[in-house]
């Protein structure tokens, strides 16, 4: 959604002299920041709600295998980066400078 709403901004950056690579690199960094923040915040919220419940029911802390957590977190980050990359490329294609 962030790329779709910023099509004009990305096109303008490209038109005023930023190279296609520079614009894509900026979008990738922004997407990575959003994805990592989302995974971190989602993990914190899940732990904040699950810990008291699991402790009350079973008397232990909730656990998840580190490999499984890494796979889910990696899949989320990869999906965000892929979706953002495709939309950013499409937005820049629509705003090619005229010669």
């Amino acid at each position: 959604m962030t790329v779709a709403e910023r099509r004009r901004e990305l096109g303008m950056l490209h038109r005023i002299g930023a190279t296609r690579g520079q614009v894509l690199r900026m979008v990738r960094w922004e997407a990575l920041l959003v994805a990592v923040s989302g995974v971190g915040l989602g993990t914190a919220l899940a732990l904040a709600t699950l810990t008291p419940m699991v402790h009350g029911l079973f008397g232990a802390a909730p656990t998840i295998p580190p490999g499984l957590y890494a796979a889910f977190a990696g899949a989320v980050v990869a999906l965000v980066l892929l979706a953002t990359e495709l939309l950013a490329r499409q937005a820049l294609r629509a705003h090619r400078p005229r010669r």
Side-chain angles (χ1 to χ4, degrees), residues 7-80:
R7 287 171 99 77
R8 292 182 66 191
E9 177 189 339
L10 297 177
M12 177 132 358
L13 284 170
H14 191 53
R15 275 187 245 123
I16 63 172
T19 66
R20 180 179 165 91
Q22 288 171 330
V23 174
L24 288 173
R25 198 167 25 256
M26 178 196 73
V27 169
R28 283 184 206 120
W29 276 108
E30 289 175 356
L32 184 62
L33 179 65
V34 168
V36 170
S37 298
V39 168
L41 186 59
T43 300
L45 290 173
L47 284 175
T49 57
L50 284 176
T51 300
M53 183 183 74
V54 171
H55 186 66
L57 290 173
F58 304 108
T63 60
I64 184 169
L68 183 61
Y69 177 79
F72 278 123
V76 167
V77 171
L79 186 60
V80 168

